[in-house]
Amino acid sequence: MKYISNNIHDRQIGEYHGIESGACIVIVAGLHGNEPTGINAIQEIFSTISENQIPIKGDIFAYRGNVSALKEGRRYLDKDLNRIWKKKLVDQVSTTKPNQTLAVEEKEQLELLSEIEKAISASRGDTWILDLHTSSAAGPPFILGGQGNHVTERVENILHVPVIIDTPGYFSGAMLNHYHRKGLVSFAFEAGQHNTKQSIEVNKEAIWRVLLGLGSTKIEFLPDSVNTENLLKKSKNGIPTKIELIYRHAVSKEDHFKMLPGFRNFDQVEQGQILGHDKRGEVQSPEKGMIFLPLYQEIGEDGFFIVRELRE
Ligand SMILES: [Zn+2]
């Protein structure tokens, strides 16, 4: 088995290449520069694999997302790197002329495109693109990016967390969609609140579960210190398995939107319930449902979303 590790400021976090062929797992962490816990989780997992000489089949590639913003601990510098992956934008950035100036995040995107393309072309099995995030609100982990029932059920069976299905396309600029278009299994995993020990642990459990679920390794090879049955299943706690997005409260800087404190992802809200304030006054929930991604950080264009159990 071959392991490649690079220094802290590089794009690449590390790679494992098993002797036997198997799934190709591509992990991106820190696509938002204020969300480094996925990187910590990958580094801890890679150390555990090395120290315990855990056999790995197939390939694992792990990359930092927004290297420039991670260095400053900011969500992004010029543009949100997880909102610029619509087909038109990817085509545009991929055909940039050498004399054209690019936003910081467009340069990051070009590098990621090229690295991930290399990883995909080296694949010797199932290819999964796993994009690790945290959010400004507390709450249980979940997946964004259902892509057809069959894939959604497989992902849910492996990870045991709710899957948010973005039928209205509110997140159509997210990276996961670019790889959906290529026919790969691709989703964002949200581990919990930014910069918490809990989010590192949740991310680790999710990565181990993917490695086990795709046959990259076996449970008997893992040391006792590794948890794979602890946090994810428990955290679901009555939240439906398949969830649809029904409303997005878009905000701009000029709105001076301020969310009321204390909302967690998936808290129940009533129609008409006051959720925040902006320069026009109270902001109410237009629907009964569950609150999703309430904005508790300085930047962002999504004030909150309302979600509910998917009605099929
Ligand atoms: Zn994020």
Side-chain angles (χ1 to χ4, degrees), residues 28 31 81-86 90 109 116 128-133 142-147 163-166 169-190:
V28 178
L31 210 50
L81 182 53
N82 202 26
R83 297 289 184 274
I84 56 174
W85 296 80
K86 283 184 185 164
V90 174
Q109 183 180 28
I116 297 174
W128 278 33
I129 315 279
L130 175 55
D131 172 24
L132 304 179
H133 288 262
F142 60 89
I143 284 165
L144 179 70
Q147 50 183 136
V163 181
I164 317 292
I165 295 157
D166 182 20
Y170 292 136
F171 296 94
S172 56
M175 187 184 75
L176 62 97
N177 294 299
H178 175 70
Y179 295 101
H180 280 184
R181 288 194 294 270
K182 289 178 163 283
L184 303 173
V185 175
S186 160
F187 56 88
F189 179 80
E190 291 272 355

mmCIF file of all heavy atoms in Angstrom, residues 28 31 81-86 90 109 116 128-133 142-147 163-166 169-190:
data_model
loop_
_atom_site.group_PDB
_atom_site.id
_atom_site.type_symbol
_atom_site.label_atom_id
_atom_site.label_comp_id
_atom_site.label_asym_id
_atom_site.label_seq_id
_atom_site.Cartn_x
_atom_site.Cartn_y
_atom_site.Cartn_z
ATOM 1 N N VAL A 28 -13.210 15.900 -0.191
ATOM 2 C CA VAL A 28 -12.828 17.320 -0.202
ATOM 3 C C VAL A 28 -13.276 17.901 1.131
ATOM 4 O O VAL A 28 -14.407 17.661 1.571
ATOM 5 C CB VAL A 28 -13.507 18.069 -1.367
ATOM 6 C CG1 VAL A 28 -13.146 19.551 -1.338
ATOM 7 C CG2 VAL A 28 -13.113 17.458 -2.707
ATOM 8 N N LEU A 31 -14.052 23.305 1.703
ATOM 9 C CA LEU A 31 -14.486 24.065 0.525
ATOM 10 C C LEU A 31 -14.895 25.469 1.002
ATOM 11 O O LEU A 31 -14.804 26.442 0.274
ATOM 12 C CB LEU A 31 -15.667 23.340 -0.118
ATOM 13 C CG LEU A 31 -15.892 23.433 -1.617
ATOM 14 C CD1 LEU A 31 -14.632 23.134 -2.414
ATOM 15 C CD2 LEU A 31 -16.993 22.488 -2.053
ATOM 16 N N LEU A 81 -17.001 29.350 -2.872
ATOM 17 C CA LEU A 81 -16.476 28.263 -3.713
ATOM 18 C C LEU A 81 -17.467 27.104 -3.852
ATOM 19 O O LEU A 81 -17.319 26.258 -4.731
ATOM 20 C CB LEU A 81 -15.133 27.769 -3.148
ATOM 21 C CG LEU A 81 -14.376 26.671 -3.886
ATOM 22 C CD1 LEU A 81 -14.165 26.991 -5.364
ATOM 23 C CD2 LEU A 81 -13.038 26.391 -3.223
ATOM 24 N N ASN A 82 -18.482 27.075 -2.992
ATOM 25 C CA ASN A 82 -19.476 26.007 -3.152
ATOM 26 C C ASN A 82 -20.760 26.509 -3.811
ATOM 27 O O ASN A 82 -21.824 25.929 -3.644
ATOM 28 C CB ASN A 82 -19.784 25.346 -1.806
ATOM 29 C CG ASN A 82 -20.354 23.946 -1.981
ATOM 30 O OD1 ASN A 82 -20.092 23.285 -3.001
ATOM 31 N ND2 ASN A 82 -21.139 23.495 -1.021
ATOM 32 N N ARG A 83 -20.664 27.598 -4.566
ATOM 33 C CA ARG A 83 -21.833 28.099 -5.294
ATOM 34 C C ARG A 83 -21.491 28.424 -6.755
ATOM 35 O O ARG A 83 -22.247 29.097 -7.425
ATOM 36 C CB ARG A 83 -22.369 29.383 -4.616
ATOM 37 C CG ARG A 83 -22.883 29.212 -3.196
ATOM 38 C CD ARG A 83 -24.195 28.435 -3.140
ATOM 39 N NE ARG A 83 -24.708 28.383 -1.767
ATOM 40 C CZ ARG A 83 -24.343 27.464 -0.871
ATOM 41 N NH1 ARG A 83 -23.485 26.498 -1.185
ATOM 42 N NH2 ARG A 83 -24.850 27.493 0.348
ATOM 43 N N ILE A 84 -20.341 27.958 -7.244
ATOM 44 C CA ILE A 84 -19.915 28.348 -8.600
ATOM 45 C C ILE A 84 -19.705 27.131 -9.510
ATOM 46 O O ILE A 84 -18.863 27.131 -10.388
ATOM 47 C CB ILE A 84 -18.635 29.232 -8.561
ATOM 48 C CG1 ILE A 84 -17.491 28.541 -7.811
ATOM 49 C CG2 ILE A 84 -18.925 30.585 -7.954
ATOM 50 C CD1 ILE A 84 -16.153 29.304 -7.854
ATOM 51 N N TRP A 85 -20.551 26.102 -9.296
ATOM 52 C CA TRP A 85 -20.354 24.862 -10.056
ATOM 53 C C TRP A 85 -21.493 24.564 -11.023
ATOM 54 O O TRP A 85 -21.643 23.415 -11.477
ATOM 55 C CB TRP A 85 -20.152 23.684 -9.093
ATOM 56 C CG TRP A 85 -18.906 23.815 -8.273
ATOM 57 C CD1 TRP A 85 -18.760 24.586 -7.144
ATOM 58 C CD2 TRP A 85 -17.637 23.207 -8.501
ATOM 59 N NE1 TRP A 85 -17.471 24.473 -6.666
ATOM 60 C CE2 TRP A 85 -16.762 23.633 -7.470
ATOM 61 C CE3 TRP A 85 -17.147 22.326 -9.487
ATOM 62 C CZ2 TRP A 85 -15.435 23.204 -7.405
ATOM 63 C CZ3 TRP A 85 -15.828 21.908 -9.398
ATOM 64 C CH2 TRP A 85 -14.987 22.347 -8.363
ATOM 65 N N LYS A 86 -22.339 25.579 -11.348
ATOM 66 C CA LYS A 86 -23.325 25.348 -12.401
ATOM 67 C C LYS A 86 -22.569 25.087 -13.693
ATOM 68 O O LYS A 86 -21.474 25.625 -13.878
ATOM 69 C CB LYS A 86 -24.218 26.586 -12.561
ATOM 70 C CG LYS A 86 -25.257 26.702 -11.481
ATOM 71 C CD LYS A 86 -26.174 27.870 -11.740
ATOM 72 C CE LYS A 86 -27.116 28.025 -10.565
ATOM 73 N NZ LYS A 86 -27.771 29.305 -10.523
ATOM 74 N N VAL A 90 -18.736 26.419 -14.754
ATOM 75 C CA VAL A 90 -17.584 25.508 -14.855
ATOM 76 C C VAL A 90 -17.005 25.581 -16.272
ATOM 77 O O VAL A 90 -15.783 25.632 -16.454
ATOM 78 C CB VAL A 90 -17.983 24.053 -14.487
ATOM 79 C CG1 VAL A 90 -16.834 23.088 -14.723
ATOM 80 C CG2 VAL A 90 -18.443 23.972 -13.040
ATOM 81 N N GLN A 109 -11.023 26.657 -7.857
ATOM 82 C CA GLN A 109 -11.904 25.725 -8.569
ATOM 83 C C GLN A 109 -11.157 25.015 -9.699
ATOM 84 O O GLN A 109 -11.274 23.798 -9.869
ATOM 85 C CB GLN A 109 -13.099 26.505 -9.135
ATOM 86 C CG GLN A 109 -14.130 25.645 -9.825
ATOM 87 C CD GLN A 109 -15.283 26.480 -10.372
ATOM 88 O OE1 GLN A 109 -15.091 27.657 -10.701
ATOM 89 N NE2 GLN A 109 -16.450 25.903 -10.463
ATOM 90 N N ILE A 116 -9.215 16.558 -9.005
ATOM 91 C CA ILE A 116 -10.267 15.544 -8.859
ATOM 92 C C ILE A 116 -10.401 14.734 -10.152
ATOM 93 O O ILE A 116 -10.627 13.532 -10.125
ATOM 94 C CB ILE A 116 -11.601 16.183 -8.408
ATOM 95 C CG1 ILE A 116 -11.425 16.822 -7.025
ATOM 96 C CG2 ILE A 116 -12.727 15.149 -8.371
ATOM 97 C CD1 ILE A 116 -12.614 17.613 -6.509
ATOM 98 N N TRP A 128 -16.817 7.662 -5.432
ATOM 99 C CA TRP A 128 -17.654 8.527 -4.600
ATOM 100 C C TRP A 128 -16.914 9.826 -4.307
ATOM 101 O O TRP A 128 -15.730 9.800 -3.970
ATOM 102 C CB TRP A 128 -17.986 7.852 -3.256
ATOM 103 C CG TRP A 128 -19.124 6.885 -3.310
ATOM 104 C CD1 TRP A 128 -19.466 6.084 -4.361
ATOM 105 C CD2 TRP A 128 -20.057 6.608 -2.250
ATOM 106 N NE1 TRP A 128 -20.563 5.319 -4.022
ATOM 107 C CE2 TRP A 128 -20.937 5.624 -2.739
ATOM 108 C CE3 TRP A 128 -20.226 7.079 -0.947
ATOM 109 C CZ2 TRP A 128 -21.982 5.105 -1.957
ATOM 110 C CZ3 TRP A 128 -21.260 6.576 -0.177
ATOM 111 C CH2 TRP A 128 -22.129 5.605 -0.690
ATOM 112 N N ILE A 129 -17.633 10.940 -4.454
ATOM 113 C CA ILE A 129 -17.057 12.240 -4.102
ATOM 114 C C ILE A 129 -17.750 12.710 -2.826
ATOM 115 O O ILE A 129 -18.961 12.946 -2.804
ATOM 116 C CB ILE A 129 -17.293 13.303 -5.206
ATOM 117 C CG1 ILE A 129 -17.007 12.750 -6.592
ATOM 118 C CG2 ILE A 129 -16.521 14.584 -4.904
ATOM 119 C CD1 ILE A 129 -15.598 12.711 -7.030
ATOM 120 N N LEU A 130 -16.978 12.842 -1.784
ATOM 121 C CA LEU A 130 -17.516 13.162 -0.465
ATOM 122 C C LEU A 130 -16.994 14.549 -0.071
ATOM 123 O O LEU A 130 -15.790 14.766 -0.008
ATOM 124 C CB LEU A 130 -17.012 12.065 0.482
ATOM 125 C CG LEU A 130 -17.260 12.102 1.959
ATOM 126 C CD1 LEU A 130 -18.732 12.224 2.235
ATOM 127 C CD2 LEU A 130 -16.750 10.795 2.577
ATOM 128 N N ASP A 131 -17.926 15.481 0.152
ATOM 129 C CA ASP A 131 -17.549 16.872 0.390
ATOM 130 C C ASP A 131 -17.945 17.235 1.824
ATOM 131 O O ASP A 131 -19.132 17.252 2.151
ATOM 132 C CB ASP A 131 -18.311 17.710 -0.669
ATOM 133 C CG ASP A 131 -18.189 19.185 -0.457
ATOM 134 O OD1 ASP A 131 -17.214 19.619 0.168
ATOM 135 O OD2 ASP A 131 -19.089 19.919 -0.930
ATOM 136 N N LEU A 132 -16.952 17.476 2.689
ATOM 137 C CA LEU A 132 -17.224 17.630 4.123
ATOM 138 C C LEU A 132 -17.449 19.091 4.517
ATOM 139 O O LEU A 132 -16.635 19.958 4.197
ATOM 140 C CB LEU A 132 -16.056 17.069 4.936
ATOM 141 C CG LEU A 132 -15.669 15.616 4.664
ATOM 142 C CD1 LEU A 132 -14.467 15.219 5.525
ATOM 143 C CD2 LEU A 132 -16.844 14.673 4.912
ATOM 144 N N HIS A 133 -18.534 19.324 5.243
ATOM 145 C CA HIS A 133 -18.873 20.681 5.692
ATOM 146 C C HIS A 133 -19.289 20.693 7.154
ATOM 147 O O HIS A 133 -19.614 19.658 7.732
ATOM 148 C CB HIS A 133 -20.057 21.234 4.882
ATOM 149 C CG HIS A 133 -19.706 21.577 3.483
ATOM 150 N ND1 HIS A 133 -19.412 22.851 3.081
ATOM 151 C CD2 HIS A 133 -19.584 20.794 2.389
ATOM 152 C CE1 HIS A 133 -19.131 22.848 1.795
ATOM 153 N NE2 HIS A 133 -19.224 21.607 1.352
ATOM 154 N N PHE A 142 -26.198 15.612 8.545
ATOM 155 C CA PHE A 142 -27.100 15.269 7.438
ATOM 156 C C PHE A 142 -26.324 15.311 6.139
ATOM 157 O O PHE A 142 -25.179 15.781 6.099
ATOM 158 C CB PHE A 142 -28.291 16.237 7.385
ATOM 159 C CG PHE A 142 -27.916 17.674 7.176
ATOM 160 C CD1 PHE A 142 -27.779 18.199 5.908
ATOM 161 C CD2 PHE A 142 -27.667 18.496 8.269
ATOM 162 C CE1 PHE A 142 -27.406 19.524 5.718
ATOM 163 C CE2 PHE A 142 -27.299 19.828 8.086
ATOM 164 C CZ PHE A 142 -27.173 20.338 6.817
ATOM 165 N N ILE A 143 -26.990 14.818 5.085
ATOM 166 C CA ILE A 143 -26.390 14.818 3.751
ATOM 167 C C ILE A 143 -27.209 15.729 2.859
ATOM 168 O O ILE A 143 -28.433 15.726 2.930
ATOM 169 C CB ILE A 143 -26.407 13.387 3.181
ATOM 170 C CG1 ILE A 143 -25.312 12.565 3.844
ATOM 171 C CG2 ILE A 143 -26.232 13.376 1.667
ATOM 172 C CD1 ILE A 143 -25.475 11.097 3.616
ATOM 173 N N LEU A 144 -26.542 16.482 2.024
ATOM 174 C CA LEU A 144 -27.237 17.260 1.002
ATOM 175 C C LEU A 144 -26.897 16.636 -0.344
ATOM 176 O O LEU A 144 -25.722 16.423 -0.642
ATOM 177 C CB LEU A 144 -26.763 18.715 1.049
ATOM 178 C CG LEU A 144 -27.390 19.645 0.017
ATOM 179 C CD1 LEU A 144 -28.849 19.901 0.315
ATOM 180 C CD2 LEU A 144 -26.642 20.962 -0.023
ATOM 181 N N GLY A 145 -27.933 16.339 -1.137
ATOM 182 C CA GLY A 145 -27.609 15.882 -2.479
ATOM 183 C C GLY A 145 -28.173 14.547 -2.870
ATOM 184 O O GLY A 145 -27.462 13.737 -3.428
ATOM 185 N N GLY A 146 -29.442 14.282 -2.571
ATOM 186 C CA GLY A 146 -30.046 13.045 -3.063
ATOM 187 C C GLY A 146 -30.075 13.049 -4.579
ATOM 188 O O GLY A 146 -30.325 14.075 -5.192
ATOM 189 N N GLN A 147 -29.775 11.945 -5.194
ATOM 190 C CA GLN A 147 -29.762 11.887 -6.662
ATOM 191 C C GLN A 147 -30.439 10.596 -7.121
ATOM 192 O O GLN A 147 -29.789 9.666 -7.547
ATOM 193 C CB GLN A 147 -28.339 12.005 -7.205
ATOM 194 C CG GLN A 147 -27.345 11.071 -6.551
ATOM 195 C CD GLN A 147 -25.931 11.250 -7.038
ATOM 196 O OE1 GLN A 147 -25.004 11.277 -6.267
ATOM 197 N NE2 GLN A 147 -25.746 11.356 -8.338
ATOM 198 N N VAL A 163 -31.194 12.614 4.488
ATOM 199 C CA VAL A 163 -30.721 13.111 3.196
ATOM 200 C C VAL A 163 -31.646 14.246 2.743
ATOM 201 O O VAL A 163 -32.864 14.061 2.682
ATOM 202 C CB VAL A 163 -30.713 11.994 2.134
ATOM 203 C CG1 VAL A 163 -30.200 12.527 0.796
ATOM 204 C CG2 VAL A 163 -29.864 10.825 2.592
ATOM 205 N N ILE A 164 -31.082 15.389 2.463
ATOM 206 C CA ILE A 164 -31.853 16.529 1.982
ATOM 207 C C ILE A 164 -31.829 16.504 0.460
ATOM 208 O O ILE A 164 -30.757 16.508 -0.149
ATOM 209 C CB ILE A 164 -31.231 17.880 2.434
ATOM 210 C CG1 ILE A 164 -30.787 17.845 3.894
ATOM 211 C CG2 ILE A 164 -32.166 19.047 2.133
ATOM 212 C CD1 ILE A 164 -31.864 17.764 4.888
ATOM 213 N N ILE A 165 -33.016 16.459 -0.127
ATOM 214 C CA ILE A 165 -33.117 16.359 -1.579
ATOM 215 C C ILE A 165 -33.493 17.735 -2.130
ATOM 216 O O ILE A 165 -34.526 18.290 -1.790
ATOM 217 C CB ILE A 165 -34.123 15.255 -1.950
ATOM 218 C CG1 ILE A 165 -33.528 13.925 -1.449
ATOM 219 C CG2 ILE A 165 -34.389 15.217 -3.448
ATOM 220 C CD1 ILE A 165 -34.510 12.847 -1.222
ATOM 221 N N ASP A 166 -32.606 18.248 -2.952
ATOM 222 C CA ASP A 166 -32.720 19.651 -3.390
ATOM 223 C C ASP A 166 -33.500 19.754 -4.697
ATOM 224 O O ASP A 166 -32.949 20.155 -5.720
ATOM 225 C CB ASP A 166 -31.311 20.244 -3.531
ATOM 226 C CG ASP A 166 -31.334 21.708 -3.939
ATOM 227 O OD1 ASP A 166 -32.379 22.371 -3.759
ATOM 228 O OD2 ASP A 166 -30.294 22.192 -4.432
ATOM 229 N N GLY A 169 -33.510 23.078 -6.530
ATOM 230 C CA GLY A 169 -32.209 23.508 -7.056
ATOM 231 C C GLY A 169 -31.630 24.719 -6.333
ATOM 232 O O GLY A 169 -30.869 25.483 -6.911
ATOM 233 N N TYR A 170 -31.968 24.896 -5.053
ATOM 234 C CA TYR A 170 -31.411 26.021 -4.287
ATOM 235 C C TYR A 170 -29.888 25.944 -4.216
ATOM 236 O O TYR A 170 -29.215 26.937 -4.091
ATOM 237 C CB TYR A 170 -31.957 26.016 -2.853
ATOM 238 C CG TYR A 170 -33.426 26.335 -2.732
ATOM 239 C CD1 TYR A 170 -34.243 25.582 -1.893
ATOM 240 C CD2 TYR A 170 -33.988 27.397 -3.438
ATOM 241 C CE1 TYR A 170 -35.589 25.873 -1.761
ATOM 242 C CE2 TYR A 170 -35.339 27.686 -3.310
ATOM 243 C CZ TYR A 170 -36.137 26.923 -2.468
ATOM 244 O OH TYR A 170 -37.465 27.202 -2.336
ATOM 245 N N PHE A 171 -29.357 24.727 -4.248
ATOM 246 C CA PHE A 171 -27.901 24.548 -4.140
ATOM 247 C C PHE A 171 -27.310 24.102 -5.481
ATOM 248 O O PHE A 171 -26.343 23.356 -5.523
ATOM 249 C CB PHE A 171 -27.568 23.529 -3.045
ATOM 250 C CG PHE A 171 -27.980 23.966 -1.678
ATOM 251 C CD1 PHE A 171 -29.203 23.588 -1.151
ATOM 252 C CD2 PHE A 171 -27.158 24.791 -0.921
ATOM 253 C CE1 PHE A 171 -29.606 24.012 0.109
ATOM 254 C CE2 PHE A 171 -27.550 25.219 0.336
ATOM 255 C CZ PHE A 171 -28.773 24.830 0.859
ATOM 256 N N SER A 172 -27.928 24.575 -6.584
ATOM 257 C CA SER A 172 -27.485 24.074 -7.888
ATOM 258 C C SER A 172 -26.052 24.498 -8.208
ATOM 259 O O SER A 172 -25.416 23.920 -9.071
ATOM 260 C CB SER A 172 -28.438 24.518 -8.989
ATOM 261 O OG SER A 172 -28.544 25.918 -8.974
ATOM 262 N N GLY A 173 -25.524 25.494 -7.490
ATOM 263 C CA GLY A 173 -24.130 25.888 -7.706
ATOM 264 C C GLY A 173 -23.147 25.121 -6.835
ATOM 265 O O GLY A 173 -21.950 25.393 -6.853
ATOM 266 N N ALA A 174 -23.652 24.157 -6.052
ATOM 267 C CA ALA A 174 -22.757 23.401 -5.162
ATOM 268 C C ALA A 174 -21.912 22.408 -5.967
ATOM 269 O O ALA A 174 -22.352 21.902 -6.998
ATOM 270 C CB ALA A 174 -23.573 22.659 -4.104
ATOM 271 N N MET A 175 -20.716 22.128 -5.463
ATOM 272 C CA MET A 175 -19.780 21.254 -6.179
ATOM 273 C C MET A 175 -20.370 19.878 -6.474
ATOM 274 O O MET A 175 -20.105 19.295 -7.533
ATOM 275 C CB MET A 175 -18.491 21.100 -5.370
ATOM 276 C CG MET A 175 -17.407 20.346 -6.118
ATOM 277 S SD MET A 175 -15.924 20.064 -5.137
ATOM 278 C CE MET A 175 -16.482 18.752 -4.071
ATOM 279 N N LEU A 176 -21.165 19.360 -5.536
ATOM 280 C CA LEU A 176 -21.689 18.005 -5.707
ATOM 281 C C LEU A 176 -22.424 17.844 -7.037
ATOM 282 O O LEU A 176 -22.418 16.766 -7.631
ATOM 283 C CB LEU A 176 -22.595 17.635 -4.525
ATOM 284 C CG LEU A 176 -23.873 18.451 -4.276
ATOM 285 C CD1 LEU A 176 -25.083 17.759 -4.884
ATOM 286 C CD2 LEU A 176 -24.086 18.643 -2.797
ATOM 287 N N ASN A 177 -23.068 18.922 -7.516
ATOM 288 C CA ASN A 177 -23.834 18.832 -8.764
ATOM 289 C C ASN A 177 -22.946 18.610 -9.992
ATOM 290 O O ASN A 177 -23.346 17.959 -10.943
ATOM 291 C CB ASN A 177 -24.670 20.093 -8.964
ATOM 292 C CG ASN A 177 -25.727 20.201 -7.891
ATOM 293 O OD1 ASN A 177 -26.572 19.343 -7.781
ATOM 294 N ND2 ASN A 177 -25.631 21.221 -7.063
ATOM 295 N N HIS A 178 -21.755 19.190 -9.953
ATOM 296 C CA HIS A 178 -20.831 18.992 -11.070
ATOM 297 C C HIS A 178 -20.527 17.497 -11.241
ATOM 298 O O HIS A 178 -20.499 16.979 -12.348
ATOM 299 C CB HIS A 178 -19.542 19.780 -10.819
ATOM 300 C CG HIS A 178 -18.494 19.545 -11.856
ATOM 301 N ND1 HIS A 178 -18.624 20.007 -13.150
ATOM 302 C CD2 HIS A 178 -17.321 18.861 -11.810
ATOM 303 C CE1 HIS A 178 -17.561 19.634 -13.845
ATOM 304 N NE2 HIS A 178 -16.755 18.936 -13.063
ATOM 305 N N TYR A 179 -20.334 16.808 -10.114
ATOM 306 C CA TYR A 179 -19.998 15.388 -10.190
ATOM 307 C C TYR A 179 -21.235 14.512 -10.386
ATOM 308 O O TYR A 179 -21.138 13.425 -10.938
ATOM 309 C CB TYR A 179 -19.115 14.993 -8.995
ATOM 310 C CG TYR A 179 -17.807 15.735 -9.102
ATOM 311 C CD1 TYR A 179 -17.559 16.871 -8.327
ATOM 312 C CD2 TYR A 179 -16.874 15.381 -10.062
ATOM 313 C CE1 TYR A 179 -16.391 17.611 -8.496
ATOM 314 C CE2 TYR A 179 -15.708 16.114 -10.240
ATOM 315 C CZ TYR A 179 -15.472 17.223 -9.457
ATOM 316 O OH TYR A 179 -14.325 17.962 -9.647
ATOM 317 N N HIS A 180 -22.406 15.008 -9.972
ATOM 318 C CA HIS A 180 -23.654 14.324 -10.366
ATOM 319 C C HIS A 180 -23.741 14.282 -11.888
ATOM 320 O O HIS A 180 -24.081 13.273 -12.473
ATOM 321 C CB HIS A 180 -24.898 15.087 -9.877
ATOM 322 C CG HIS A 180 -25.222 14.851 -8.440
ATOM 323 N ND1 HIS A 180 -26.334 15.378 -7.847
ATOM 324 C CD2 HIS A 180 -24.575 14.153 -7.481
ATOM 325 C CE1 HIS A 180 -26.368 15.019 -6.584
ATOM 326 N NE2 HIS A 180 -25.309 14.284 -6.339
ATOM 327 N N ARG A 181 -23.443 15.430 -12.496
ATOM 328 C CA ARG A 181 -23.562 15.495 -13.972
ATOM 329 C C ARG A 181 -22.627 14.508 -14.647
ATOM 330 O O ARG A 181 -22.860 14.070 -15.755
ATOM 331 C CB ARG A 181 -23.278 16.929 -14.472
ATOM 332 C CG ARG A 181 -24.379 17.936 -14.142
ATOM 333 C CD ARG A 181 -24.232 19.227 -14.933
ATOM 334 N NE ARG A 181 -23.046 19.981 -14.601
ATOM 335 C CZ ARG A 181 -22.982 20.915 -13.645
ATOM 336 N NH1 ARG A 181 -24.051 21.229 -12.940
ATOM 337 N NH2 ARG A 181 -21.849 21.538 -13.396
ATOM 338 N N LYS A 182 -21.542 14.151 -13.951
ATOM 339 C CA LYS A 182 -20.623 13.157 -14.512
ATOM 340 C C LYS A 182 -21.065 11.734 -14.180
ATOM 341 O O LYS A 182 -20.355 10.777 -14.462
ATOM 342 C CB LYS A 182 -19.216 13.390 -13.951
ATOM 343 C CG LYS A 182 -18.563 14.636 -14.494
ATOM 344 C CD LYS A 182 -17.188 14.821 -13.851
ATOM 345 C CE LYS A 182 -16.345 15.791 -14.624
ATOM 346 N NZ LYS A 182 -15.766 15.210 -15.852
ATOM 347 N N GLY A 183 -22.199 11.620 -13.498
ATOM 348 C CA GLY A 183 -22.743 10.298 -13.194
ATOM 349 C C GLY A 183 -22.133 9.640 -11.973
ATOM 350 O O GLY A 183 -22.271 8.431 -11.777
ATOM 351 N N LEU A 184 -21.438 10.413 -11.125
ATOM 352 C CA LEU A 184 -20.810 9.828 -9.939
ATOM 353 C C LEU A 184 -21.688 10.039 -8.710
ATOM 354 O O LEU A 184 -22.521 10.937 -8.679
ATOM 355 C CB LEU A 184 -19.446 10.485 -9.694
ATOM 356 C CG LEU A 184 -18.479 10.397 -10.873
ATOM 357 C CD1 LEU A 184 -17.231 11.205 -10.600
ATOM 358 C CD2 LEU A 184 -18.109 8.938 -11.140
ATOM 359 N N VAL A 185 -21.490 9.215 -7.699
ATOM 360 C CA VAL A 185 -22.150 9.455 -6.416
ATOM 361 C C VAL A 185 -21.398 10.605 -5.753
ATOM 362 O O VAL A 185 -20.182 10.547 -5.576
ATOM 363 C CB VAL A 185 -22.107 8.201 -5.515
ATOM 364 C CG1 VAL A 185 -22.697 8.522 -4.149
ATOM 365 C CG2 VAL A 185 -22.846 7.060 -6.178
ATOM 366 N N SER A 186 -22.117 11.656 -5.424
ATOM 367 C CA SER A 186 -21.463 12.862 -4.943
ATOM 368 C C SER A 186 -22.409 13.566 -3.984
ATOM 369 O O SER A 186 -23.572 13.787 -4.308
ATOM 370 C CB SER A 186 -21.158 13.729 -6.164
ATOM 371 O OG SER A 186 -20.963 15.057 -5.816
ATOM 372 N N PHE A 187 -21.939 13.857 -2.784
ATOM 373 C CA PHE A 187 -22.822 14.535 -1.830
ATOM 374 C C PHE A 187 -22.016 15.358 -0.839
ATOM 375 O O PHE A 187 -20.813 15.153 -0.672
ATOM 376 C CB PHE A 187 -23.708 13.520 -1.090
ATOM 377 C CG PHE A 187 -22.956 12.440 -0.384
ATOM 378 C CD1 PHE A 187 -22.509 12.609 0.916
ATOM 379 C CD2 PHE A 187 -22.674 11.241 -1.029
ATOM 380 C CE1 PHE A 187 -21.812 11.606 1.571
ATOM 381 C CE2 PHE A 187 -21.965 10.231 -0.384
ATOM 382 C CZ PHE A 187 -21.537 10.418 0.914
ATOM 383 N N ALA A 188 -22.712 16.309 -0.212
ATOM 384 C CA ALA A 188 -22.093 17.082 0.864
ATOM 385 C C ALA A 188 -22.523 16.458 2.180
ATOM 386 O O ALA A 188 -23.701 16.142 2.364
ATOM 387 C CB ALA A 188 -22.549 18.531 0.790
ATOM 388 N N PHE A 189 -21.575 16.256 3.059
ATOM 389 C CA PHE A 189 -21.882 15.746 4.395
ATOM 390 C C PHE A 189 -21.681 16.879 5.383
ATOM 391 O O PHE A 189 -20.589 17.446 5.470
ATOM 392 C CB PHE A 189 -20.961 14.564 4.737
ATOM 393 C CG PHE A 189 -21.209 14.013 6.111
ATOM 394 C CD1 PHE A 189 -22.275 13.146 6.330
ATOM 395 C CD2 PHE A 189 -20.416 14.380 7.180
ATOM 396 C CE1 PHE A 189 -22.526 12.660 7.602
ATOM 397 C CE2 PHE A 189 -20.665 13.891 8.455
ATOM 398 C CZ PHE A 189 -21.720 13.032 8.671
ATOM 399 N N GLU A 190 -22.736 17.220 6.106
ATOM 400 C CA GLU A 190 -22.675 18.301 7.095
ATOM 401 C C GLU A 190 -22.567 17.660 8.468
ATOM 402 O O GLU A 190 -23.474 16.954 8.906
ATOM 403 C CB GLU A 190 -23.937 19.165 7.024
ATOM 404 C CG GLU A 190 -24.054 19.997 5.763
ATOM 405 C CD GLU A 190 -23.369 21.364 5.873
ATOM 406 O OE1 GLU A 190 -22.880 21.716 6.970
ATOM 407 O OE2 GLU A 190 -23.329 22.068 4.846
#
